[in-house]
Amino acid sequence: MIGFTAPWALLGLAAAAIPLLLHLFARREPPTVVFPATRYLAETARVHHRRLTFQHWLLLLIRTLIIALIAVAAAGPTLPSAAVGAHAPAAMVLVLDNSLSSGATVDGNPLLESLRRGARAILAAAGAEDALWLITADGTPRKGTAVELEAIVGRIGPEPRRLDLGAAIESARQATAGRGSGGTTVVLSDLQASAVSAVPVGPGALVVVRPEAEPVANLGIAGLAPGRQPWGPEGGRVTVTISGAGARNAAIGVRVGERPPRQHLVSAGVVVSLPSGSIPPGWWPVHAELEPDELRMDDLRVGAVRVAPPTRATWRSDERFLGVAAEVLLQNGRLVRGTDLTIGSLGSGPSIVQPPADPAGLGALNRALAARGAEWRYTDLVPGSSATDSNPILGRHRILRRYGLDAPGRGSAITREILVTADGAPWLVRDRDLLLLGSRLEPDWTELPLSAQFVPFVDFLANRAARGEVVQLEAAPGELVVLPPATTTLVRDGLSRPIGGGEGFRPSELGLAYLLSGPDTIGVLAVNPDPRESEMERVGDRTIRQLWPGARVVGLRDAGTAAFAAGGRADLRGTVLLVVALLALADAALAGRLPGMQPRKSGPAS
Amino acid sequence: MDSHLSATASSRLDLLDPAEVARLGGLELTTEGIVEGFLTGLHRSPRRGFFIEFAEHRMYQPGDEPRYLDWRLLGRSDRLYVKQFEEETNLRAMLVLDTSLSMDWSGAPDRRLTKLGYSRCLLAALALVLLRQRDATGLITFDESVRRIIPPRARLTQWRLLLRELADASPGRGTAAEPALRRVVEQLRRRGLVVFVSDLLFDPPLALTALKFLCHRGHQVLVIHLMDPEEVELRGPSEARYEDPESRQSVVLRPADWAEAYARTVRGVVTEWRMACRRSGIAYERITTDTPFGLALRQALVRSTRIT
């Protein structure tokens, strides 16, 4: 299909109508010339009229074509061509897949190095008029000259990210959008099956450069799960999932905190659960490490556990619903009786506070809260029913009665303390070591006690919310995670950096980062490789052509020549201008045959 | 031969540009000047040398018929001489002039005479030559009808009569040649010379029939087809409406596009006239209004004698 490097120049095609418009509209009544031999003219016109009329229309057509072709030539016409020596100015995007899997060593050489050679060969074939972009694992198109992009290619190394090749191709097409028939996208990748997502038919050419060596057999750690938290002092179990291919066995070691690592022999697809042994309370890192293979970056995975004893709490057993829930937790080891936490009323220490059943007691409660230094207060009974707003803590439950909660004078900071809302208004808030509920946990106030989520909610209140939120986040590098609203600081490798809670965050490096809310550690962010990067299985050419219609698959050796050739656009400007020249010659010849183009002498008197 | 011609041109009105000659004075004076120059070139009389008895030799002049060259003398002396003959009898000549509106036109009024103006001078000169040889000479003018008939006379006052009539001839509307030619028969009772001057912008059949009739009656007939150079070669603005002054027929065209085809048409018309005249024994000469009168006279007289 014909394409254009400067399609806006096609607007000049309108000028092709000029000869016709002049012919149609520039006519006027000519001057009258008295001429006795008019009878000869009439006879001449009668004999030659048809031939001259034909020649005039032919001349008009030729001149219209000349103008139109000049406009077309200015637009830079190109045609697909399998083999072109000098390519037309092209728009090309190199997708260089330096994702984690490109760090694999194949036959002693890094896979990325061979992809890099291919990219260099393509950039070496680029011309000064070519528009070039480079997309690497971060997915961002970078525009630059061949020299600039070659410098970037030389600098980059394998990144612990996953690159979705389908998304990268879409980005490439967006980068070259508006460039006539579209640019050429060249994908240099190890073509992991997990990275190849379908792409609809789009403009431009697509060249896929595949590595020539076979993919390596790899084992990687796909998952590291420390289980239900917090752990008790007796410790817990760490579940490790092994991904990859091949029948090879490898040793894995799992270390929790400072304890000696637990060893195990694993193979692809195996899930092992290793005990940690007893461990003192606190936050402890968890490392799982496989013995080295050709791809090192997925041989290590990190996580963290919080070790804490069950909350020592006191509650009134006659509380029909809250008391029962606490008894259930007691029986399951999630609570022990003690005085560290008061459940259901305001105690002398940390408390989960319900509003009084009798509104007359509300004033006394507010005064007691004030005496404790709390900033939140109960306000009036809110008329009508409402519902909790669904969030990770609590789903949507009907609220029949509730008191308003307000923290006068706190300003915007109060949002960090609001854990659950009902119709947008605070319903469960944390005020230092107090948790204030807007409704009593009874069926007259809310339907929550009658739901299956009630006991886990009480567990959350007693073991997590009352102690401070415990957040376990996991993300791959570059992946967007939303930090808990209360987060104020992120600590990594002993270095602290302030960060806004509730905001999106894209970690760039592997490892553990602790999330702090003020002085309290409220969670951990474990940044580990995307487990799909461990799957080295390569997609076949046929599948590529199915998923990416129109794609041309070539080997690395042919990358340099195939990129622009498959880009496939032969410059037609020369050909078009040659046709224009031939038409001009035809015009001159035809006009020469017509006496109108011959030199004129002085005119007659009328 | 060319050097001789150029050497005498400055003193001979017959070889000057017709428009320049016309600006020198009235019709009488200019005509006499033309004839004087013309006869000087001929030494004596154009009619000498074209009739029966040999009279003398003279130097070859441009326009002389090669058949009158004396080849023996050329072989002996390496000089060009033509043989001249003495006429035997006086001639009766009738000049027929087309004074239609189409004749009153010039393609370049500031540089060239109209066809009618040129005809006046040419016929006046021709009449003077004939009358000086005591040939009876008459005149018929016509447009859409016969306007004036002056019977042929050999008196010296005849020339002034002809001159006045030529000067007074005003252009009429149309062209009707055939009645005028029929009237010639009444004026020439015995064999004579008929000189028909016209731009021939009319339908040929009737006029040709009349001309053939004159030939049939034994007259020498000379048709002088007078054309303006602009009528021979079409020029003009980028586009124009060309209108016939007589019929008001008009054609809109770009002269630049049609010049070549028009020239072919004109050549075709001239050829048709020439062939038609030749077939009927009529002498035909096409003269453009930029031709010096001397050359035109020579062509006319030579042509008229060649057919005898």
mmCIF file of all heavy atoms in Angstrom, chain A residues 29 31-39 41-42 44-45 48 56 595-596 601-602 604-605, chain B residues 105 107 109 203 233-236 239-244 249 256-258 261-262 264-265:
data_model
loop_
_atom_site.group_PDB
_atom_site.id
_atom_site.type_symbol
_atom_site.label_atom_id
_atom_site.label_comp_id
_atom_site.label_asym_id
_atom_site.label_seq_id
_atom_site.Cartn_x
_atom_site.Cartn_y
_atom_site.Cartn_z
ATOM 1 N N GLU A 29 -15.757 37.249 -22.724
ATOM 2 C CA GLU A 29 -16.091 37.579 -24.103
ATOM 3 C C GLU A 29 -14.841 38.169 -24.754
ATOM 4 O O GLU A 29 -14.298 39.177 -24.284
ATOM 5 C CB GLU A 29 -17.243 38.586 -24.130
ATOM 6 C CG GLU A 29 -17.650 39.022 -25.517
ATOM 7 C CD GLU A 29 -18.100 37.868 -26.412
ATOM 8 O OE1 GLU A 29 -18.571 36.851 -25.877
ATOM 9 O OE2 GLU A 29 -17.958 37.985 -27.652
ATOM 10 N N PRO A 31 -12.338 40.059 -27.515
ATOM 11 C CA PRO A 31 -12.501 41.249 -28.352
ATOM 12 C C PRO A 31 -12.899 40.853 -29.778
ATOM 13 O O PRO A 31 -12.566 39.765 -30.240
ATOM 14 C CB PRO A 31 -11.113 41.896 -28.325
ATOM 15 C CG PRO A 31 -10.188 40.783 -28.006
ATOM 16 C CD PRO A 31 -10.942 39.841 -27.126
ATOM 17 N N THR A 32 -13.605 41.747 -30.425
ATOM 18 C CA THR A 32 -14.043 41.492 -31.806
ATOM 19 C C THR A 32 -13.015 42.069 -32.775
ATOM 20 O O THR A 32 -12.559 43.206 -32.614
ATOM 21 C CB THR A 32 -15.416 42.130 -32.055
ATOM 22 O OG1 THR A 32 -16.358 41.534 -31.164
ATOM 23 C CG2 THR A 32 -15.861 41.900 -33.491
ATOM 24 N N VAL A 33 -12.654 41.254 -33.723
ATOM 25 C CA VAL A 33 -11.682 41.653 -34.738
ATOM 26 C C VAL A 33 -12.380 41.565 -36.096
ATOM 27 O O VAL A 33 -12.896 40.502 -36.449
ATOM 28 C CB VAL A 33 -10.439 40.738 -34.714
ATOM 29 C CG1 VAL A 33 -9.505 41.072 -35.852
ATOM 30 C CG2 VAL A 33 -9.737 40.866 -33.384
ATOM 31 N N VAL A 34 -12.419 42.703 -36.807
ATOM 32 C CA VAL A 34 -12.981 42.673 -38.170
ATOM 33 C C VAL A 34 -11.981 41.986 -39.075
ATOM 34 O O VAL A 34 -10.803 42.355 -39.124
ATOM 35 C CB VAL A 34 -13.264 44.110 -38.668
ATOM 36 C CG1 VAL A 34 -13.717 44.076 -40.109
ATOM 37 C CG2 VAL A 34 -14.311 44.757 -37.775
ATOM 38 N N PHE A 35 -12.453 40.975 -39.763
ATOM 39 C CA PHE A 35 -11.529 40.150 -40.530
ATOM 40 C C PHE A 35 -12.271 39.644 -41.774
ATOM 41 O O PHE A 35 -13.145 38.767 -41.680
ATOM 42 C CB PHE A 35 -11.079 38.968 -39.669
ATOM 43 C CG PHE A 35 -9.927 38.198 -40.250
ATOM 44 C CD1 PHE A 35 -8.677 38.764 -40.381
ATOM 45 C CD2 PHE A 35 -10.105 36.884 -40.674
ATOM 46 C CE1 PHE A 35 -7.629 38.041 -40.898
ATOM 47 C CE2 PHE A 35 -9.057 36.162 -41.193
ATOM 48 C CZ PHE A 35 -7.807 36.743 -41.309
ATOM 49 N N PRO A 36 -11.929 40.201 -42.924
ATOM 50 C CA PRO A 36 -12.679 39.822 -44.123
ATOM 51 C C PRO A 36 -12.611 38.338 -44.453
ATOM 52 O O PRO A 36 -13.557 37.778 -44.990
ATOM 53 C CB PRO A 36 -12.006 40.659 -45.218
ATOM 54 C CG PRO A 36 -11.368 41.795 -44.503
ATOM 55 C CD PRO A 36 -10.966 41.275 -43.182
ATOM 56 N N ALA A 37 -11.483 37.706 -44.139
ATOM 57 C CA ALA A 37 -11.326 36.292 -44.510
ATOM 58 C C ALA A 37 -11.919 35.364 -43.454
ATOM 59 O O ALA A 37 -11.442 34.241 -43.277
ATOM 60 C CB ALA A 37 -9.839 35.970 -44.721
ATOM 61 N N THR A 38 -12.932 35.825 -42.770
ATOM 62 C CA THR A 38 -13.556 34.998 -41.732
ATOM 63 C C THR A 38 -14.089 33.696 -42.320
ATOM 64 O O THR A 38 -14.120 32.666 -41.646
ATOM 65 C CB THR A 38 -14.684 35.786 -41.056
ATOM 66 O OG1 THR A 38 -14.126 36.942 -40.439
ATOM 67 C CG2 THR A 38 -15.377 34.957 -39.988
ATOM 68 N N ARG A 39 -14.494 33.735 -43.588
ATOM 69 C CA ARG A 39 -14.999 32.503 -44.195
ATOM 70 C C ARG A 39 -13.918 31.415 -44.211
ATOM 71 O O ARG A 39 -14.231 30.240 -44.087
ATOM 72 C CB ARG A 39 -15.504 32.763 -45.599
ATOM 73 C CG ARG A 39 -14.416 33.285 -46.550
ATOM 74 C CD ARG A 39 -14.878 33.269 -48.001
ATOM 75 N NE ARG A 39 -16.151 33.937 -48.204
ATOM 76 C CZ ARG A 39 -17.105 33.508 -49.045
ATOM 77 N NH1 ARG A 39 -16.891 32.404 -49.751
ATOM 78 N NH2 ARG A 39 -18.222 34.177 -49.207
ATOM 79 N N LEU A 41 -11.593 31.161 -41.893
ATOM 80 C CA LEU A 41 -11.507 30.695 -40.502
ATOM 81 C C LEU A 41 -12.631 29.714 -40.189
ATOM 82 O O LEU A 41 -12.420 28.700 -39.527
ATOM 83 C CB LEU A 41 -11.598 31.888 -39.547
ATOM 84 C CG LEU A 41 -10.338 32.722 -39.347
ATOM 85 C CD1 LEU A 41 -10.637 33.899 -38.438
ATOM 86 C CD2 LEU A 41 -9.239 31.864 -38.738
ATOM 87 N N ALA A 42 -13.818 30.055 -40.645
ATOM 88 C CA ALA A 42 -14.953 29.173 -40.385
ATOM 89 C C ALA A 42 -14.727 27.811 -41.015
ATOM 90 O O ALA A 42 -15.016 26.761 -40.412
ATOM 91 C CB ALA A 42 -16.235 29.808 -40.913
ATOM 92 N N THR A 44 -11.810 26.491 -41.670
ATOM 93 C CA THR A 44 -10.740 25.837 -40.907
ATOM 94 C C THR A 44 -11.289 25.223 -39.628
ATOM 95 O O THR A 44 -10.981 24.075 -39.289
ATOM 96 C CB THR A 44 -9.653 26.868 -40.551
ATOM 97 O OG1 THR A 44 -9.211 27.480 -41.742
ATOM 98 C CG2 THR A 44 -8.479 26.195 -39.867
ATOM 99 N N ALA A 45 -12.100 25.993 -38.916
ATOM 100 C CA ALA A 45 -12.664 25.491 -37.658
ATOM 101 C C ALA A 45 -13.524 24.271 -37.910
ATOM 102 O O ALA A 45 -13.511 23.309 -37.133
ATOM 103 C CB ALA A 45 -13.481 26.589 -36.992
ATOM 104 N N HIS A 48 -11.032 21.248 -38.572
ATOM 105 C CA HIS A 48 -10.047 20.838 -37.554
ATOM 106 C C HIS A 48 -10.565 20.872 -36.132
ATOM 107 O O HIS A 48 -9.811 20.653 -35.192
ATOM 108 C CB HIS A 48 -8.804 21.736 -37.638
ATOM 109 C CG HIS A 48 -8.086 21.617 -38.939
ATOM 110 N ND1 HIS A 48 -8.366 22.415 -40.020
ATOM 111 C CD2 HIS A 48 -7.121 20.771 -39.337
ATOM 112 C CE1 HIS A 48 -7.589 22.095 -41.023
ATOM 113 N NE2 HIS A 48 -6.824 21.089 -40.656
ATOM 114 N N HIS A 56 -6.562 19.880 -26.927
ATOM 115 C CA HIS A 56 -6.666 20.800 -25.793
ATOM 116 C C HIS A 56 -7.016 20.070 -24.511
ATOM 117 O O HIS A 56 -6.444 20.330 -23.460
ATOM 118 C CB HIS A 56 -7.717 21.874 -26.093
ATOM 119 C CG HIS A 56 -7.147 23.034 -26.845
ATOM 120 N ND1 HIS A 56 -7.739 23.573 -27.952
ATOM 121 C CD2 HIS A 56 -6.015 23.734 -26.663
ATOM 122 C CE1 HIS A 56 -7.009 24.569 -28.404
ATOM 123 N NE2 HIS A 56 -5.947 24.689 -27.641
ATOM 124 N N PRO A 595 -0.301 25.362 -32.478
ATOM 125 C CA PRO A 595 0.297 26.648 -32.813
ATOM 126 C C PRO A 595 0.261 27.615 -31.658
ATOM 127 O O PRO A 595 0.995 28.569 -31.621
ATOM 128 C CB PRO A 595 -0.569 27.153 -33.969
ATOM 129 C CG PRO A 595 -1.225 25.927 -34.513
ATOM 130 C CD PRO A 595 -1.400 25.002 -33.359
ATOM 131 N N GLY A 596 -0.572 27.368 -30.668
ATOM 132 C CA GLY A 596 -0.674 28.278 -29.538
ATOM 133 C C GLY A 596 0.611 28.402 -28.772
ATOM 134 O O GLY A 596 0.832 29.361 -28.059
ATOM 135 N N LYS A 601 3.711 36.779 -33.299
ATOM 136 C CA LYS A 601 4.123 38.049 -33.884
ATOM 137 C C LYS A 601 3.068 39.089 -33.534
ATOM 138 O O LYS A 601 2.123 38.817 -32.798
ATOM 139 C CB LYS A 601 4.269 37.884 -35.389
ATOM 140 C CG LYS A 601 5.337 36.835 -35.731
ATOM 141 C CD LYS A 601 5.385 36.576 -37.202
ATOM 142 C CE LYS A 601 6.392 35.465 -37.499
ATOM 143 N NZ LYS A 601 6.383 35.094 -38.911
ATOM 144 N N SER A 602 3.236 40.269 -34.086
ATOM 145 C CA SER A 602 2.308 41.339 -33.733
ATOM 146 C C SER A 602 0.907 41.021 -34.230
ATOM 147 O O SER A 602 0.720 40.375 -35.254
ATOM 148 C CB SER A 602 2.789 42.639 -34.356
ATOM 149 O OG SER A 602 2.870 42.470 -35.747
ATOM 150 N N PRO A 604 -3.118 41.698 -35.431
ATOM 151 C CA PRO A 604 -3.718 42.515 -36.490
ATOM 152 C C PRO A 604 -4.531 43.666 -35.901
ATOM 153 O O PRO A 604 -4.924 43.632 -34.748
ATOM 154 C CB PRO A 604 -4.632 41.515 -37.197
ATOM 155 C CG PRO A 604 -5.044 40.588 -36.100
ATOM 156 C CD PRO A 604 -3.901 40.485 -35.181
ATOM 157 N N ALA A 605 -4.769 44.622 -36.720
ATOM 158 C CA ALA A 605 -5.668 45.696 -36.300
ATOM 159 C C ALA A 605 -7.090 45.248 -36.529
ATOM 160 O O ALA A 605 -7.378 44.490 -37.436
ATOM 161 C CB ALA A 605 -5.386 46.959 -37.115
ATOM 162 N N TRP B 105 -9.956 47.064 -46.281
ATOM 163 C CA TRP B 105 -9.430 46.536 -45.010
ATOM 164 C C TRP B 105 -7.924 46.335 -45.104
ATOM 165 O O TRP B 105 -7.399 45.916 -46.137
ATOM 166 C CB TRP B 105 -10.108 45.185 -44.701
ATOM 167 C CG TRP B 105 -9.703 44.631 -43.357
ATOM 168 C CD1 TRP B 105 -10.216 44.946 -42.155
ATOM 169 C CD2 TRP B 105 -8.693 43.652 -43.105
ATOM 170 N NE1 TRP B 105 -9.619 44.233 -41.157
ATOM 171 C CE2 TRP B 105 -8.661 43.423 -41.723
ATOM 172 C CE3 TRP B 105 -7.796 42.954 -43.922
ATOM 173 C CZ2 TRP B 105 -7.787 42.528 -41.118
ATOM 174 C CZ3 TRP B 105 -6.922 42.058 -43.326
ATOM 175 C CH2 TRP B 105 -6.928 41.848 -41.932
ATOM 176 N N GLY B 107 -4.691 44.815 -42.591
ATOM 177 C CA GLY B 107 -4.308 44.175 -41.332
ATOM 178 C C GLY B 107 -3.439 45.081 -40.489
ATOM 179 O O GLY B 107 -3.306 44.866 -39.282
ATOM 180 N N PRO B 109 -3.200 49.096 -40.647
ATOM 181 C CA PRO B 109 -3.535 50.352 -41.337
ATOM 182 C C PRO B 109 -2.408 51.380 -41.303
ATOM 183 O O PRO B 109 -2.309 52.210 -42.208
ATOM 184 C CB PRO B 109 -4.758 50.852 -40.567
ATOM 185 C CG PRO B 109 -5.325 49.652 -39.898
ATOM 186 C CD PRO B 109 -4.189 48.758 -39.608
ATOM 187 N N ASP B 203 -18.368 33.381 -53.257
ATOM 188 C CA ASP B 203 -18.486 31.991 -53.718
ATOM 189 C C ASP B 203 -17.993 31.909 -55.167
ATOM 190 O O ASP B 203 -18.486 32.624 -56.046
ATOM 191 C CB ASP B 203 -19.938 31.545 -53.623
ATOM 192 C CG ASP B 203 -20.389 31.487 -52.169
ATOM 193 O OD1 ASP B 203 -19.519 31.220 -51.304
ATOM 194 O OD2 ASP B 203 -21.582 31.708 -51.890
ATOM 195 N N GLU B 233 -1.400 34.929 -43.164
ATOM 196 C CA GLU B 233 -0.884 34.321 -41.926
ATOM 197 C C GLU B 233 -1.678 34.893 -40.759
ATOM 198 O O GLU B 233 -1.617 36.083 -40.485
ATOM 199 C CB GLU B 233 0.603 34.636 -41.768
ATOM 200 C CG GLU B 233 1.231 33.941 -40.583
ATOM 201 C CD GLU B 233 2.719 34.242 -40.471
ATOM 202 O OE1 GLU B 233 3.255 34.870 -41.408
ATOM 203 O OE2 GLU B 233 3.317 33.874 -39.456
ATOM 204 N N LEU B 234 -2.374 34.025 -40.072
ATOM 205 C CA LEU B 234 -3.285 34.474 -39.014
ATOM 206 C C LEU B 234 -2.498 34.842 -37.760
ATOM 207 O O LEU B 234 -1.699 34.062 -37.264
ATOM 208 C CB LEU B 234 -4.288 33.371 -38.694
ATOM 209 C CG LEU B 234 -5.383 33.732 -37.697
ATOM 210 C CD1 LEU B 234 -6.289 34.810 -38.282
ATOM 211 C CD2 LEU B 234 -6.203 32.500 -37.339
ATOM 212 N N ARG B 235 -2.742 36.036 -37.272
ATOM 213 C CA ARG B 235 -2.150 36.474 -35.997
ATOM 214 C C ARG B 235 -3.235 37.169 -35.200
ATOM 215 O O ARG B 235 -4.303 37.463 -35.736
ATOM 216 C CB ARG B 235 -1.004 37.464 -36.241
ATOM 217 C CG ARG B 235 0.118 36.920 -37.088
ATOM 218 C CD ARG B 235 0.999 38.050 -37.545
ATOM 219 N NE ARG B 235 1.941 37.604 -38.568
ATOM 220 C CZ ARG B 235 2.663 38.439 -39.296
ATOM 221 N NH1 ARG B 235 2.547 39.727 -39.141
ATOM 222 N NH2 ARG B 235 3.507 37.967 -40.189
ATOM 223 N N GLY B 236 -2.917 37.411 -33.944
ATOM 224 C CA GLY B 236 -3.921 38.141 -33.191
ATOM 225 C C GLY B 236 -3.794 37.927 -31.709
ATOM 226 O O GLY B 236 -2.827 37.314 -31.226
ATOM 227 N N GLU B 239 -7.342 35.359 -27.711
ATOM 228 C CA GLU B 239 -8.615 34.847 -28.194
ATOM 229 C C GLU B 239 -9.403 36.030 -28.741
ATOM 230 O O GLU B 239 -9.332 37.129 -28.202
ATOM 231 C CB GLU B 239 -9.398 34.158 -27.072
ATOM 232 C CG GLU B 239 -10.641 33.448 -27.570
ATOM 233 C CD GLU B 239 -11.333 32.677 -26.449
ATOM 234 O OE1 GLU B 239 -11.571 33.286 -25.389
ATOM 235 O OE2 GLU B 239 -11.641 31.501 -26.644
ATOM 236 N N ALA B 240 -10.130 35.828 -29.818
ATOM 237 C CA ALA B 240 -10.852 36.942 -30.434
ATOM 238 C C ALA B 240 -12.073 36.422 -31.171
ATOM 239 O O ALA B 240 -12.156 35.252 -31.538
ATOM 240 C CB ALA B 240 -9.938 37.698 -31.395
ATOM 241 N N ARG B 241 -13.020 37.336 -31.316
ATOM 242 C CA ARG B 241 -14.171 37.029 -32.162
ATOM 243 C C ARG B 241 -13.895 37.660 -33.540
ATOM 244 O O ARG B 241 -13.817 38.868 -33.667
ATOM 245 C CB ARG B 241 -15.445 37.627 -31.566
ATOM 246 C CG ARG B 241 -16.666 37.434 -32.442
ATOM 247 C CD ARG B 241 -17.885 38.063 -31.789
ATOM 248 N NE ARG B 241 -18.224 37.397 -30.559
ATOM 249 C CZ ARG B 241 -18.880 36.232 -30.476
ATOM 250 N NH1 ARG B 241 -19.268 35.617 -31.578
ATOM 251 N NH2 ARG B 241 -19.146 35.692 -29.316
ATOM 252 N N TYR B 242 -13.697 36.850 -34.533
ATOM 253 C CA TYR B 242 -13.397 37.314 -35.889
ATOM 254 C C TYR B 242 -14.722 37.483 -36.635
ATOM 255 O O TYR B 242 -15.539 36.559 -36.669
ATOM 256 C CB TYR B 242 -12.492 36.314 -36.598
ATOM 257 C CG TYR B 242 -11.073 36.357 -36.070
ATOM 258 C CD1 TYR B 242 -10.701 35.607 -34.969
ATOM 259 C CD2 TYR B 242 -10.118 37.182 -36.659
ATOM 260 C CE1 TYR B 242 -9.421 35.663 -34.457
ATOM 261 C CE2 TYR B 242 -8.827 37.248 -36.167
ATOM 262 C CZ TYR B 242 -8.493 36.487 -35.063
ATOM 263 O OH TYR B 242 -7.216 36.555 -34.573
ATOM 264 N N GLU B 243 -14.883 38.681 -37.216
ATOM 265 C CA GLU B 243 -16.173 38.994 -37.838
ATOM 266 C C GLU B 243 -15.962 39.454 -39.276
ATOM 267 O O GLU B 243 -15.120 40.331 -39.549
ATOM 268 C CB GLU B 243 -16.871 40.082 -37.026
ATOM 269 C CG GLU B 243 -18.272 40.373 -37.503
ATOM 270 C CD GLU B 243 -18.955 41.402 -36.624
ATOM 271 O OE1 GLU B 243 -18.752 42.598 -36.868
ATOM 272 O OE2 GLU B 243 -19.670 40.995 -35.692
ATOM 273 N N ASP B 244 -16.760 38.875 -40.165
ATOM 274 C CA ASP B 244 -16.717 39.254 -41.570
ATOM 275 C C ASP B 244 -17.470 40.585 -41.722
ATOM 276 O O ASP B 244 -18.632 40.676 -41.339
ATOM 277 C CB ASP B 244 -17.388 38.157 -42.401
ATOM 278 C CG ASP B 244 -17.257 38.427 -43.890
ATOM 279 O OD1 ASP B 244 -16.952 39.582 -44.262
ATOM 280 O OD2 ASP B 244 -17.461 37.478 -44.671
ATOM 281 N N GLN B 249 -20.722 37.293 -40.401
ATOM 282 C CA GLN B 249 -20.435 35.961 -39.851
ATOM 283 C C GLN B 249 -19.262 36.108 -38.877
ATOM 284 O O GLN B 249 -18.317 36.859 -39.144
ATOM 285 C CB GLN B 249 -20.061 34.996 -40.979
ATOM 286 C CG GLN B 249 -19.685 33.603 -40.501
ATOM 287 C CD GLN B 249 -19.129 32.742 -41.639
ATOM 288 O OE1 GLN B 249 -18.710 33.288 -42.663
ATOM 289 N NE2 GLN B 249 -19.145 31.449 -41.471
ATOM 290 N N ALA B 256 -3.648 31.724 -32.165
ATOM 291 C CA ALA B 256 -2.417 30.962 -32.020
ATOM 292 C C ALA B 256 -2.671 29.472 -32.237
ATOM 293 O O ALA B 256 -1.811 28.751 -32.758
ATOM 294 C CB ALA B 256 -1.828 31.200 -30.639
ATOM 295 N N ASP B 257 -3.847 29.007 -31.823
ATOM 296 C CA ASP B 257 -4.158 27.583 -31.982
ATOM 297 C C ASP B 257 -4.470 27.218 -33.436
ATOM 298 O O ASP B 257 -4.284 26.081 -33.845
ATOM 299 C CB ASP B 257 -5.360 27.216 -31.114
ATOM 300 C CG ASP B 257 -5.064 27.364 -29.629
ATOM 301 O OD1 ASP B 257 -3.875 27.523 -29.302
ATOM 302 O OD2 ASP B 257 -6.008 27.321 -28.833
ATOM 303 N N TRP B 258 -4.966 28.184 -34.149
ATOM 304 C CA TRP B 258 -5.532 27.864 -35.460
ATOM 305 C C TRP B 258 -4.697 28.377 -36.618
ATOM 306 O O TRP B 258 -5.084 28.186 -37.781
ATOM 307 C CB TRP B 258 -6.943 28.454 -35.558
ATOM 308 C CG TRP B 258 -7.895 27.821 -34.594
ATOM 309 C CD1 TRP B 258 -8.065 28.135 -33.291
ATOM 310 C CD2 TRP B 258 -8.776 26.728 -34.855
ATOM 311 N NE1 TRP B 258 -8.994 27.321 -32.708
ATOM 312 C CE2 TRP B 258 -9.463 26.443 -33.652
ATOM 313 C CE3 TRP B 258 -9.056 25.958 -35.980
ATOM 314 C CZ2 TRP B 258 -10.396 25.421 -33.551
ATOM 315 C CZ3 TRP B 258 -10.001 24.960 -35.879
ATOM 316 C CH2 TRP B 258 -10.654 24.686 -34.678
ATOM 317 N N ALA B 261 -3.507 25.689 -39.171
ATOM 318 C CA ALA B 261 -4.614 25.124 -39.945
ATOM 319 C C ALA B 261 -5.187 26.166 -40.897
ATOM 320 O O ALA B 261 -5.547 25.863 -42.042
ATOM 321 C CB ALA B 261 -5.688 24.608 -38.991
ATOM 322 N N TYR B 262 -5.243 27.402 -40.421
ATOM 323 C CA TYR B 262 -5.769 28.474 -41.267
ATOM 324 C C TYR B 262 -4.872 28.672 -42.496
ATOM 325 O O TYR B 262 -5.364 28.838 -43.622
ATOM 326 C CB TYR B 262 -5.852 29.756 -40.447
ATOM 327 C CG TYR B 262 -6.203 30.972 -41.258
ATOM 328 C CD1 TYR B 262 -7.515 31.239 -41.615
ATOM 329 C CD2 TYR B 262 -5.219 31.849 -41.696
ATOM 330 C CE1 TYR B 262 -7.843 32.348 -42.384
ATOM 331 C CE2 TYR B 262 -5.527 32.953 -42.463
ATOM 332 C CZ TYR B 262 -6.845 33.202 -42.808
ATOM 333 O OH TYR B 262 -7.153 34.299 -43.573
ATOM 334 N N ARG B 264 -3.088 26.506 -43.866
ATOM 335 C CA ARG B 264 -3.335 25.405 -44.816
ATOM 336 C C ARG B 264 -4.607 25.660 -45.615
ATOM 337 O O ARG B 264 -4.669 25.402 -46.815
ATOM 338 C CB ARG B 264 -3.443 24.083 -44.047
ATOM 339 C CG ARG B 264 -2.100 23.496 -43.657
ATOM 340 C CD ARG B 264 -2.225 22.008 -43.370
ATOM 341 N NE ARG B 264 -3.129 21.747 -42.262
ATOM 342 C CZ ARG B 264 -2.772 21.726 -40.987
ATOM 343 N NH1 ARG B 264 -1.503 21.959 -40.678
ATOM 344 N NH2 ARG B 264 -3.641 21.480 -40.031
ATOM 345 N N THR B 265 -5.613 26.179 -44.943
ATOM 346 C CA THR B 265 -6.874 26.462 -45.638
ATOM 347 C C THR B 265 -6.657 27.516 -46.728
ATOM 348 O O THR B 265 -7.143 27.378 -47.860
ATOM 349 C CB THR B 265 -7.921 26.950 -44.632
ATOM 350 O OG1 THR B 265 -8.108 25.948 -43.642
ATOM 351 C CG2 THR B 265 -9.253 27.228 -45.323
#
